[in-house]
Amino acid sequence: MADRTGHFAGEDPFAIAQRWLDEAQGSEVNDPNAIALSTVDQDGLPNARMVLLKEIEADAFVFYTNYGSAKAQELEGAGKGAFVMHWKSLRRQVRVRGLISKVEGPQADEYYKSRSLKSRLGAWASDQSQPLSSRASLMAKVAKITAEKGPNPERPPFWGGYRITPLEIEFWADGAFRLHDRFRWRRATVACDWEILRLNP
């Protein structure tokens, strides 16, 4: 597409997304890798929350969570998810819709070990999305887990990653007079080639 130049240039959407994220690392004040993750529950009611994108792979996007959380249950129930990553400083965003799979084993172990010790212990202590009687009870559980697990806890069996393999990626950049630039990459299956279309603002 002749006018897909500048910010939008490239033949690999994952490389474009990585390039945009790298640019945002130098301009966003907090968490340039924050994404608004959307899921649906068993009744089809939408849900959204902020999580941190931890890796852009050659063909997918990866984040981590507690497998018992509401987001995890909804992702696994539907087998699909979506997110938007928006940078105010760049006036750009990336929207992704796709298929869900788990990230476990050595890849999840390696990321877990890269986290701070307090975050690793916190993953053990939190029954994510479940009712909590008080902050004090949570901190007491953290202290108990700290004594039990020591300075090098293993990854909890109920904690790991999810991979979104996209069927659709949209790159959006702010334009004058709200005439924004939008390019949608879409494929029917992960084995298909991408169809790239410029969209109206």
Side-chain angles (χ1 to χ4, degrees):
M1 186 171 292
D3 61 346
R4 196 163 51 79
T5 58
H7 300 317
F8 298 96
E11 301 306 316
D12 179 351
F14 302 97
I16 297 171
Q18 185 66 64
R19 188 174 73 236
W20 286 23
L21 177 56
D22 290 345
E23 288 183 54
Q25 301 278 0
S27 59
E28 287 293 299
V29 176
N30 293 307
D31 298 327
N33 60 328
I35 60 176
L37 176 69
S38 297
T39 57
V40 293
D41 67 15
Q42 60 185 2
D43 297 319
L45 188 65
N47 221 336
R49 78 288 285 161
M50 303 303 295
V51 301
L52 296 180
L53 182 70
K54 288 302 180 180
E55 188 175 356
I56 299 178
E57 298 180 326
D59 62 351
F61 300 86
V62 175
F63 62 92
Y64 291 84
T65 190
N66 186 309
Y67 289 143
S69 66
K71 76 174 80 65
Q73 298 305 306
E74 292 171 5
L75 287 168
E76 293 196 27
K80 300 167 187 167
F83 71 78
V84 60
M85 184 161 40
H86 176 246
W87 302 288
K88 287 181 179 293
S89 61
L90 298 181
R91 295 180 173 274
R92 283 183 241 161
Q93 67 182 21
V94 178
R95 295 175 58 223
V96 172
R97 303 168 71 208
L99 308 177
I100 296 297
S101 58
K102 270 186 173 178
V103 177
E104 298 184 287
Q107 183 176 349
D109 291 342
E110 184 177 349
Y111 171 66
Y112 180 77
K113 288 177 183 176
S114 76
R115 305 177 89 212
S116 70
L117 177 59
K118 288 184 178 180
S119 293
R120 282 178 281 156
L121 293 167
W124 275 101
S126 174
D127 296 322
Q128 198 171 98
S129 301
Q130 299 305 308
L132 177 65
S133 61
S134 68
R135 178 80 180 178
S137 67
L138 176 61
M139 298 316 293
K141 189 172 180 184
V142 170
K144 181 173 181 287
I145 290 290
T146 300
E148 289 175 358
K149 298 294 180 183
N152 191 28
E154 71 277 16
R155 178 173 62 89
F158 52 80
W159 191 97
Y162 284 100
R163 174 182 291 111
I164 298 184
T165 302
L167 297 176
E168 186 175 307
I169 305 176
E170 182 188 311
F171 296 95
W172 178 103
D174 183 64
F177 312 110
R178 302 196 65 80
L179 297 177
H180 311 306
D181 289 308
R182 299 172 61 189
F183 287 92
R184 184 185 66 205
W185 298 58
R186 179 184 280 176
R187 56 188 178 179
T189 71
V190 295
C192 291
D193 292 333
W194 292 103
E195 174 192 31
I196 309 170
L197 288 177
R198 177 185 271 279
L199 304 178
N200 271 280

